[in-house]
Amino acid sequence: SPPAVRCSHLPSLRCKLEIKSTGIILEEAMRAGSHQAKLETAHMLKRLGDSLQKIMQVTGLSKEEVENV
């Protein structure tokens, strides 16, 4: 959940929008970090000689994403 945002100086609706925006930004950052970790795992597995199919299965990445790491 998003961190507490002090909104005592903001109107109620604006405060809710600010909290929601903060939560959306955090979710996007978490997704980006998770995707980056998958790319790094794919890169490592590729270096170890694992098959494209296995890397796709383990990471959930597409064929194109695995081929481009």
Side-chain angles (χ1 to χ4, degrees):
S1 64
V5 177
R6 291 194 177 110
C7 298
S8 58
H9 64 287
L10 300 172
S12 179
L13 180 58
R14 184 170 173 203
C15 180
K16 288 177 184 176
L17 290 173
E18 186 173 313
I19 291 169
K20 183 172 178 117
S21 295
T22 301
I24 291 169
I25 291 168
L26 289 173
E27 286 176 23
E28 286 300 316
M30 288 174 60
R31 273 192 216 111
S34 175
H35 187 73
Q36 182 62 36
K38 290 177 182 183
L39 292 172
E40 291 171 10
T41 299
H43 180 73
M44 186 181 304
L45 292 172
K46 202 171 180 181
R47 288 183 59 196
L48 292 171
D50 285 328
S51 70
L52 179 68
Q53 187 66 32
K54 181 178 179 182
I55 297 170
M56 290 169 51
Q57 188 176 18
V58 168
T59 63
L61 295 172
S62 69
K63 180 179 177 183
E64 293 77 23
E65 288 174 306
V66 174
E67 289 175 338
N68 291 323
V69 292

